[in-house]
Amino acid sequence: MSSRFFTAAGDSSSESSSDEEELYSEEETAQKSEEEPSEEEESEDDEESSSDEEGGKTGISKFLKNAELSDGDSSDSDTPKVVKSAKNKRLEELDGVIKLIDNAIKINDWSSISTEFDKLNRQVVKIAGSEKAPKQYIKTVADLEDFMNETIAKQKVSTKKMNATNAKGLNAMKQKIKRNNREYATEIDKYREDKFDYMMSDDEEEVAPVEKPRSKKDIYVTDVPGEDDQGFSTVGRGGRTLQYTPESIFAHLRSITESRGKKNTDRAEQIRIMERLLAVAVTPYQKIRVLLTVISTRFDLTTGSSVTFMSQEQWKMADQELDTLLEVLEENRNMVVVENAEPWEDDEKPPQLTAGEKLKIPGSVVSIVERLDDELTRSLQHIDPHTAEYIERLTDEQALYNKVVRTMLYIEELQKDTKLEIPQENANRIVMRRVEHIYFKPSQVVNILEEKAWESVPSQFDSKITPRGKAEDIATLVQILCTYLFENSADIIRGRAYLCQVYFCALHDQYYRARDMLLMSHLQETIGNFDISTQILFNRTLVQVGLCAFRAGLVYESQNTLLDICGSGRQKELLAQGVMIQRYSQVTPEQERLERQRQLPFHMHINLELLECVFLTCSMLLEIPLLAQTGSSPDIKKRVISKNYRRLLEFHERQIFTGPPENTRDHIMQASRALAAGEWRKAVELISSIKIWELMAQSDKIKAMLSEQIQEEGLRTYLFTYAPFYDTLAVSTLSSMFELSERKVAAVVSKMISHEELAAALDQVNSAIIFRKGVELSRLQSLALTLSDKASGLIEANERTLEQRTQGTANAFERQGGQRGGRGGRGGGRGGMRGDRGGARTRGGQQFGGGALGGAIKA
């Protein structure tokens, strides 16, 4: 049996091998008779189709199969093999692609339709060659165009929108079908006249092939009269000279636009081509089209590459081209660049201007300005801020601000024509960009920006929102721009405009106005619903308001405002001034990349050392008197204003040896110890010696304000600490000790007495302070009161817990007279006895009175 099996297998395998050789030889002959497959895709398709015909089985699988066939029926091995030509194979592949397209049409999957349509066109090129296209292809593209038109019509009236992927596929197919069906227009018309007859007709009359449009990637000319100065000319594919003429501009632009986003696209070469096209452009329409395309291509240089930001050279070229674009648009009022314009498809002739109407060109000047702004910010993020390169790069902000102002004027001009239907969002976006460039700068810097910006604007143009005359007062300018955004925008832009105005007011020492605006906006309640960049702006505004309060001498308000930011220990992260990577943090590389993209350029930073110095100084002025008050009166509950400051102070006090202060933190900690010991002069000296104060405007006034605050808090600390040891104390004595006027000392003491912080009376006749004795409790009395308070709190907590557990039914089984019933009530008789003995007890069940301790508390 085994010998028979192996004999049969050997015979069948030899037969199959000879058949395969015959098949391969016939296939090679058929392929040679067809046109030569020069492209790699064609050879790959042939290999895949031939492998599919062989059935996909090789080796032992093929061997066992032939053995089975020879075992079962010897006559099957004599069946002739069907050999298909390459053309028939491609027709089968074409039918398979058409079937996939039909299936995608049934489920309205435009993404798949777009992919399969590209495959279909590649197959048709291989099949047709110089012949006419297959009828099934004509049927497919005609039906696909009808289905696309139906889908577009449905989308216009339907309330349900397509998802993003499907809509992208539909838009791509709209362009592809329009270009593709133009070539087969005659055949498609024949098919639509009578579909059945067209598909059943067998006439193979020779149809003159429709002349295909020449590839638009390279347009050649055999002889060019004008060459370069050195005798050289640009040569394209095939060794023929490239043609740059006004007539070929649109064809070049179309080929560049179609290749946008594809792999292996040489964008630098495309930019060089468009620069030459711009040089030969004659009409304003040609210049506008070329400028819009070349600027977009420059932005694409950083897309999909390792370069994270646009080079300064490319940025300046894009800036110059935007300047040229704005000049052309300002000179030609009958041409406008809007987002809702339909693209012009005819490459042979430009659109004709109609009298009384404006020619719409698809594009967005606002988006170009925003992208320029973003690229400048990215480059500033990656340049070392302590080098001259950063300063040089920062000078480009003036050129960008000029474009922002000019674009704002252009959008205002477009909005005057209601027929254009310019959305309000465009104006809001460009006004917001202008606000974001000036809100964090001092008025002197903004004045220079505005002057140079208006110099770059032609004299015949003026703004309705911010006329030229109102640009002198920067506070008025910011208020006008923010008010415009309040009235015309919503949600995020309105919130950002509000925060920018508050920031500007706080920066220019208008504390009360900034505080009132921030409180009236109620943004602190809803800021969690905004995006991260707006939350960062809110944190920056909060910090600036706190610094403004400090400069105004409002220590308590400053400390209270800065507590949320400085108390968290994450100032860098909250203000987007640095990425803090924790050792065991679960941060993905994508999250880290996004975090780095949100970082602010260095010139927008708030000095974190100055912020910490202000916060710790305010905490010292509040905490030291509080610590003295708590130490002298144990009955007062310990209250902590700043945990960070307390922790630093405790760490400093634990040190055995304390050297001279080296940094800001050391200065403040040693000043705190000196103030607590009553050495206010030393505290003033230590605080004034901090060099960071020089970074603040009018640093001398800041130091004088701090000296006065330390004198007052030193007086309060002294009274809290030594009040138990005095019966009377002359105001003049305190005045000489702390170098304050007697009127100021009397005011501070009166305030302490009115707030019940000091048990004393002020004798204005004798100008003395009379301390009341016997008011302070002893240590034992203070502890007893503390214990009684805790016991009372424990009783209340137990009663609340009982109420929650029983859901209000704790007294449901109580009877009149205090008797208890039921099986679980310890017996009725006993309950009666308890009721007799406790006659004074009220209804409501067992109520613990606290025993002896409770009686002492009630007494």
Side-chain angles (χ1 to χ4, degrees):
M1 187 69 184
S2 63
S3 62
R4 180 169 174 260
F5 171 78
F6 283 110
T7 303
D11 294 338
S12 62
S13 63
S14 63
E15 289 175 4
S16 62
S17 63
S18 62
D19 290 341
E20 287 175 4
E21 291 175 2
E22 182 181 356
L23 174 61
Y24 291 151
S25 63
E26 289 179 4
E27 283 181 358
E28 290 173 0
T29 307
Q31 288 176 0
K32 287 179 181 178
S33 63
E34 299 291 326
E35 56 187 32
E36 293 183 3
S38 59
E39 298 179 0
E40 290 181 5
E41 293 178 0
E42 186 174 355
S43 62
E44 290 175 2
D45 292 340
D46 290 345
E47 289 173 6
E48 290 175 4
S49 61
S50 63
S51 63
D52 292 341
E53 289 297 322
E54 289 177 0
K57 293 196 175 184
T58 56
I60 190 66
S61 304
K62 194 170 185 178
F63 175 78
L64 293 174
K65 180 179 177 182
N66 289 335
E68 269 183 295
L69 291 173
S70 63
D71 238 356
D73 191 359
S74 61
S75 62
D76 292 343
S77 62
D78 299 332
T79 305
K81 301 277 184 180
V82 178
V83 180
K84 298 179 182 179
S85 66
K87 184 175 181 179
N88 290 337
K89 290 178 184 177
R90 289 179 184 137
L91 285 173
E92 287 184 0
E93 292 174 359
L94 183 70
D95 292 337
V97 175
I98 291 173
K99 188 175 180 182
L100 292 175
I101 291 177
D102 291 338
N103 293 337
I105 287 175
K106 292 176 183 177
I107 60 175
N108 199 26
D109 185 2
W110 284 100
S111 178
S112 300
I113 291 173
S114 178
T115 306
E116 298 301 328
F117 186 74
D118 293 338
K119 292 182 183 177
L120 184 70
N121 286 332
R122 288 198 295 269
Q123 291 294 332
V124 168
V125 171
K126 295 175 188 176
I127 294 171
S130 60
E131 303 174 5
K132 68 177 185 178
K135 291 182 178 181
Q136 58 264 44
Y137 174 76
I138 299 297
K139 174 182 180 298
T140 301
V141 295
D143 293 344
L144 195 54
E145 184 176 8
D146 295 338
F147 179 66
M148 181 194 71
N149 293 331
E150 291 176 8
T151 305
I152 293 174
K154 288 179 182 177
Q155 282 297 310
K156 287 182 179 179
V157 297
S158 174
T159 57
K160 186 177 181 181
K161 299 294 182 182
M162 279 188 178
N163 58 40
T165 306
N166 225 13
K168 187 177 179 181
L170 178 59
N171 291 332
M173 283 301 299
K174 183 179 177 182
Q175 303 297 328
K176 290 177 185 176
I177 290 176
K178 191 177 290 186
R179 290 195 301 268
N180 185 75
N181 289 11
R182 200 181 297 162
E183 183 179 346
Y184 306 101
T186 307
E187 293 295 317
I188 291 173
D189 291 340
K190 288 181 182 179
Y191 168 73
R192 285 175 175 163
E193 286 175 5
D194 194 339
K195 298 182 180 180
F196 184 75
D197 288 346
Y198 179 83
M199 297 302 296
M200 295 301 294
S201 62
D202 295 330
D203 57 329
E204 295 293 338
E205 59 181 2
E206 289 294 328
V207 180
V210 180
E211 185 179 358
K212 285 189 174 183
R214 195 180 291 255
S215 174
K216 293 171 184 173
K217 292 183 179 178
D218 293 319
I219 299 176
Y220 305 107
V221 65
T222 55
D223 188 18
V224 177
E227 294 183 344
D228 294 344
D229 296 337
Q230 300 177 353
F232 295 99
S233 58
T234 305
V235 177
R237 192 180 303 169
R240 288 169 289 185
T241 309
L242 283 174
Q243 179 185 14
Y244 298 110
T245 62
E247 292 76 18
S248 67
I249 285 177
F250 299 125
H252 278 291
L253 292 179
R254 178 171 294 279
S255 65
I256 290 171
T257 305
E258 289 175 357
S259 64
R260 188 177 181 187
K262 294 183 179 179
K263 292 182 179 179
N264 302 325
T265 302
D266 190 354
R267 297 188 180 94
E269 179 63 27
Q270 289 181 346
I271 290 173
R272 285 193 289 270
I273 291 173
M274 283 187 284
E275 286 174 349
R276 297 199 174 192
L277 292 177
L278 184 60
V280 301
V282 178
T283 64
Y285 178 75
Q286 291 175 343
K287 291 180 180 178
I288 292 171
R289 286 284 304 274
V290 174
L291 286 168
L292 287 172
T293 310
V294 70
I295 293 172
S296 301
T297 308
R298 289 192 193 278
F299 290 143
D300 289 343
L301 287 173
T302 57
T303 305
S305 63
S306 58
V307 182
T308 55
F309 62 95
M310 200 172 180
S311 67
Q312 186 175 5
E313 179 186 359
Q314 291 294 334
W315 190 93
K316 287 189 173 181
M317 293 296 295
D319 180 70
Q320 292 175 4
E321 287 155 359
L322 176 59
D323 199 5
T324 307
L325 175 64
L326 289 172
E327 288 178 0
V328 174
L329 291 173
E330 288 167 357
E331 292 171 0
N332 300 272
R333 302 286 187 90
N334 53 354
M335 296 181 185
V336 295
V337 175
V338 292
E339 297 178 6
N340 54 4
E342 289 291 332
W344 185 256
E345 299 293 340
D346 193 350
D347 295 341
E348 302 298 330
K349 58 179 182 179
Q352 300 298 322
L353 289 170
T354 308
E357 292 188 2
K358 294 183 178 180
L359 177 60
K360 296 181 179 180
I361 304 171
S364 176
V365 182
V366 176
S367 298
I368 293 174
V369 174
E370 288 181 331
R371 184 65 186 272
L372 273 176
D373 192 5
D374 294 339
E375 290 295 342
L376 178 62
T377 302
R378 269 195 211 102
S379 65
L380 290 172
Q381 286 174 346
H382 290 84
I383 297 174
D384 185 2
H386 305 292
T387 59
E389 182 185 0
Y390 187 90
I391 304 299
E392 180 186 356
R393 193 74 180 93
L394 195 58
T395 57
D396 293 333
E397 188 180 13
Q398 178 66 62
L400 177 63
Y401 188 74
N402 297 348
K403 304 303 178 299
V404 170
V405 175
R406 291 184 67 180
T407 306
M408 178 177 161
L409 299 183
Y410 179 69
I411 295 299
E412 287 185 49
E413 188 71 22
L414 294 183
Q415 284 183 326
K416 293 177 182 178
D417 190 352
T418 55
K419 295 180 182 178
L420 296 177
E421 298 178 355
I422 303 298
Q424 180 62 39
E425 181 188 0
N426 289 348
N428 294 341
R429 283 159 54 194
I430 195 66
V431 172
M432 191 68 235
R433 289 283 174 168
R434 187 175 177 185
V435 171
E436 288 178 345
H437 273 278
I438 62 177
Y439 81 94
F440 63 92
K441 294 183 174 72
S443 297
Q444 299 84 351
V445 178
V446 182
N447 265 323
I448 298 172
L449 274 178
E450 285 290 321
E451 288 175 5
K452 293 187 177 180
W454 283 108
E455 287 175 3
S456 67
V457 177
S459 57
Q460 65 268 25
F461 292 100
D462 200 358
S463 172
K464 185 180 177 182
I465 303 173
T466 57
R468 289 178 184 260
K470 294 198 175 178
E472 298 175 357
D473 186 7
I474 304 304
T476 306
L477 173 67
V478 172
Q479 184 175 357
I480 290 172
L481 292 174
C482 293
T483 304
Y484 178 82
L485 293 174
F486 300 157
E487 295 173 353
N488 297 286
S489 63
D491 301 333
I492 293 179
I493 292 183
R494 178 183 290 180
R496 290 184 68 84
Y498 210 98
L499 290 172
C500 288
Q501 188 173 3
V502 173
Y503 190 105
F504 184 83
C505 292
L507 185 65
H508 292 81
D509 295 329
Q510 301 176 20
Y511 169 72
Y512 291 105
R513 185 182 178 191
R515 181 200 64 182
D516 294 344
M517 287 184 65
L518 192 60
L519 292 176
M520 286 190 296
S521 67
H522 297 286
L523 280 172
Q524 59 271 19
E525 301 170 5
T526 59
I527 193 63
N529 302 327
F530 286 80
D531 60 326
I532 295 179
S533 60
T534 308
Q535 294 179 18
I536 291 170
L537 178 58
F538 177 81
N539 294 339
R540 285 167 51 81
T541 305
L542 206 62
V543 166
Q544 199 60 246
V545 171
L547 293 175
C548 180
F550 177 78
R551 291 192 297 269
L554 305 171
V555 175
Y556 175 78
E557 288 81 356
S558 176
Q559 199 273 345
N560 197 26
T561 306
L562 298 176
L563 183 60
D564 291 337
I565 304 296
C566 299
S568 63
R570 299 164 51 218
Q571 295 95 313
K572 276 189 179 181
E573 185 179 352
L574 293 175
L575 298 176
Q577 296 182 187
V579 180
M580 299 179 64
I581 304 299
Q582 304 291 337
R583 181 178 294 180
Y584 302 106
S585 63
Q586 303 294 327
V587 179
T588 62
E590 180 67 17
Q591 290 174 335
E592 184 178 352
R593 183 182 65 82
L594 293 175
E595 187 69 26
R596 292 189 184 280
Q597 285 181 357
R598 286 192 287 264
Q599 300 304 299
L600 295 173
F602 183 77
H603 69 282
M604 296 179 66
H605 284 192
I606 297 172
N607 194 310
L608 294 179
E609 187 179 357
L610 175 62
L611 180 62
E612 183 187 30
C613 180
V614 168
F615 176 71
L616 291 178
T617 303
C618 293
S619 299
M620 176 192 74
L621 294 173
L622 296 175
E623 285 280 10
I624 295 301
L626 183 63
L627 287 171
Q629 183 183 10
T630 307
S632 62
S633 303
D635 57 312
I636 298 177
K637 293 182 179 179
K638 290 186 178 181
R639 183 165 59 95
V640 178
I641 296 176
S642 172
K643 292 182 179 178
N644 286 359
Y645 174 81
R646 287 283 183 98
R647 186 169 59 251
L648 291 173
L649 187 61
E650 290 172 3
F651 175 77
H652 189 268
E653 288 176 347
R654 283 199 301 267
Q655 291 182 346
I656 299 173
F657 172 76
T658 304
E662 297 178 355
N663 51 30
T664 304
R665 197 173 287 181
D666 290 346
H667 277 87
I668 295 174
M669 291 301 110
Q670 291 194 17
S672 301
R673 296 185 65 177
L675 185 61
E679 301 176 3
W680 65 270
R681 290 185 182 84
K682 184 179 179 182
V684 169
E685 182 183 351
L686 287 167
I687 293 296
S688 299
S689 62
I690 299 175
K691 295 181 180 180
I692 199 73
W693 300 125
E694 303 298 331
L695 297 179
M696 300 184 77
Q698 300 177 344
S699 58
D700 293 336
K701 288 186 178 180
I702 298 295
K703 291 178 182 178
M705 179 270 294
L706 286 174
S707 176
E708 186 179 347
Q709 291 282 348
I710 290 173
Q711 286 173 304
E712 292 183 17
E713 298 304 325
L715 172 61
R716 285 165 49 81
T717 305
Y718 182 82
L719 290 174
F720 282 135
T721 305
Y722 298 106
F725 303 97
Y726 282 102
D727 290 329
T728 59
L729 181 61
V731 173
S732 58
T733 305
L734 292 175
S735 176
S736 61
M737 286 175 62
F738 294 96
E739 296 182 1
L740 292 170
S741 64
E742 293 187 6
R743 186 174 181 180
K744 187 67 177 177
V745 172
V748 172
V749 172
S750 300
K751 190 175 181 180
M752 294 175 67
I753 293 171
S754 65
H755 290 174
E756 297 183 357
E757 295 174 343
L758 190 64
L762 184 62
D763 186 358
Q764 294 182 351
V765 177
N766 299 320
S767 185
I769 305 170
I770 303 173
F771 295 92
R772 292 201 298 267
K773 294 297 179 181
V775 178
E776 292 81 6
L777 299 175
S778 65
R779 183 69 176 168
L780 179 60
Q781 290 172 330
S782 300
L783 292 175
L785 282 175
T786 304
L787 179 61
S788 66
D789 289 341
K790 289 184 178 179
S792 299
L794 181 62
I795 293 168
E796 291 175 2
N798 287 340
E799 289 179 352
R800 281 197 300 269
T801 305
L802 179 63
E803 186 73 18
Q804 291 174 0
R805 292 285 180 87
T806 57
Q807 298 180 356
T809 59
N811 304 325
F813 300 102
E814 293 296 330
R815 294 184 178 179
Q816 186 73 24
Q819 293 185 358
R820 301 180 67 185
R823 295 183 61 184
R826 296 188 183 178
R830 232 175 133 186
M833 291 170 60
R834 286 191 177 185
D836 292 339
R837 276 189 309 214
R841 194 168 163 192
T842 59
R843 288 169 48 192
Q846 291 184 353
Q847 295 186 356
F848 177 62
L853 185 59
I857 294 170
K858 292 176 183 179

